[in-house]
Amino acid sequence: MLQMSTTYTRKDTEVIKETQTRLYEVDGGIKSLNESELLHLILGSGTKQHPLEEVVNEILSLKYDYGLKGLSPEFLRSKVNGLTQRKAEMLLAALELGKRVYTEEPVVGKTIRSPEDAASLLMYMKHNTQEHFVALFLNSKNVVIGKKTIFVGELNSCNVHPREIFHEAIQRTSASIIVAHSHPSGDPTPSREDIEMTKRLREAGELIGIPVLDHVIIGNGRYISLKEKGYL
């Protein structure tokens, strides 16, 4: 544990109230808060033995020593006095959410002219630790009108059914779709099941009248277009 010599006299409720006052009364709102104040709002409280300000200061000290990327709840708890398992999980979840929001580019309104265009919009998926299967819904001018994550987990041709994808496409009055999924291994090389899935989706799209323009596989900063490979 980090050893802190500072004496903390303010109650957690006082700390939170002061932070909330700044949140609502200072120009800039949430953007005006410093790192300590943001952590006050995320954690909400400390413990009886370790008040919120102490917990937050120890987290910031840990940040300067180790950084907070990729840390486990167990490691955080071993280094920060008063950080419960639940609060450690909350903190890491907030950090991960912030990372995803920062790296994920808004897609609606973007025009897809090439596999590279589609891949650039979905390259944030390279950070996924599980396989994600995503569909982009396009209008007649190849402008994205919607996006939906269809499946998360270990992907195979049984997990992703054309019915669900094309139901969404019809609901959004899509002219065409592009599908994509991530390979957490970092290698975007398509598997046999990836190819079989692509053929099933292509056939369903032809039957319904909403063509599948591409199936893009996202790896670690790389992608493979199954259209360019000749499977669509």
Side-chain angles (χ1 to χ4, degrees):
M1 296 288 187
L2 298 172
Q3 300 300 316
M4 305 295 292
S5 59
T6 306
T7 300
Y8 299 92
T9 58
R10 292 198 300 169
K11 295 180 179 179
D12 290 353
T13 52
E14 295 173 340
V15 174
I16 291 296
K17 184 176 181 180
E18 180 181 306
T19 302
Q20 289 174 330
T21 298
R22 280 183 45 75
L23 173 63
Y24 293 108
E25 295 184 3
V26 175
D27 290 342
I30 196 74
K31 293 181 180 179
S32 69
L33 301 184
N34 60 36
E35 291 183 343
S36 294
E37 291 165 333
L38 292 171
L39 287 169
H40 293 160
L41 294 180
I42 291 171
L43 299 178
S45 65
T47 64
K48 187 175 181 179
Q49 294 80 16
H50 303 285
L52 179 59
E53 285 186 299
E54 177 186 348
V55 175
V56 165
N57 283 343
E58 291 198 5
I59 290 172
L60 290 177
S61 294
L62 185 68
K63 170 180 176 283
Y64 301 135
D65 290 341
Y66 296 92
L68 296 178
K69 295 180 180 179
L71 301 184
S72 67
E74 293 75 20
F75 182 83
L76 282 173
R77 291 186 65 200
S78 73
K79 296 292 184 180
V80 179
N81 288 299
L83 190 66
T84 65
Q85 180 76 13
R86 181 68 185 121
K87 293 294 176 67
E89 293 167 352
M90 289 169 61
L91 173 59
L92 294 178
L95 292 171
E96 178 63 23
L97 179 61
K99 182 184 75 174
R100 294 185 188 185
V101 169
Y102 180 77
T103 57
E104 183 173 345
E105 181 180 357
V107 300
V108 173
K110 303 288 187 178
T111 301
I112 306 294
R113 298 185 177 88
S114 66
E116 184 178 2
D117 289 342
S120 67
L121 294 180
L122 298 168
M123 193 53 69
Y124 70 90
M125 294 169 64
K126 69 182 181 181
H127 300 294
N128 295 340
T129 56
Q130 289 183 289
E131 291 188 62
H132 285 55
F133 189 94
V134 172
L136 297 178
F137 306 100
L138 285 67
N139 66 16
S140 59
K141 295 183 178 180
N142 286 357
V143 175
V144 180
I145 58 175
K147 182 187 79 168
K148 183 173 182 180
T149 299
I150 304 297
F151 181 81
V152 177
E154 187 175 349
L155 195 65
N156 59 55
S157 59
C158 298
N159 297 137
V160 178
H161 198 283
R163 178 176 58 246
E164 181 177 359
I165 298 171
F166 286 102
H167 173 75
E168 286 288 336
I170 292 168
Q171 291 291 102
R172 298 167 189 260
T173 62
S174 308
S176 60
I177 65 172
I178 292 173
V179 297
H181 77 276
S182 57
H183 278 185
S185 67
D187 180 1
T189 303
S191 66
R192 178 175 54 82
E193 288 193 329
D194 292 338
I195 295 169
E196 291 175 356
M197 183 195 314
T198 303
K199 291 179 179 178
R200 289 177 61 204
L201 293 175
R202 181 195 67 200
E203 292 168 357
E206 291 172 350
L207 181 64
I208 295 171
I210 301 177
V212 179
L213 300 185
D214 205 345
H215 181 177
V216 179
I217 302 176
I218 303 294
N220 185 17
R222 299 182 292 150
Y223 75 91
I224 283 180
S225 159
L226 272 70
K227 178 179 178 62
E228 291 182 331
K229 293 293 184 181
Y231 296 109
L232 283 167

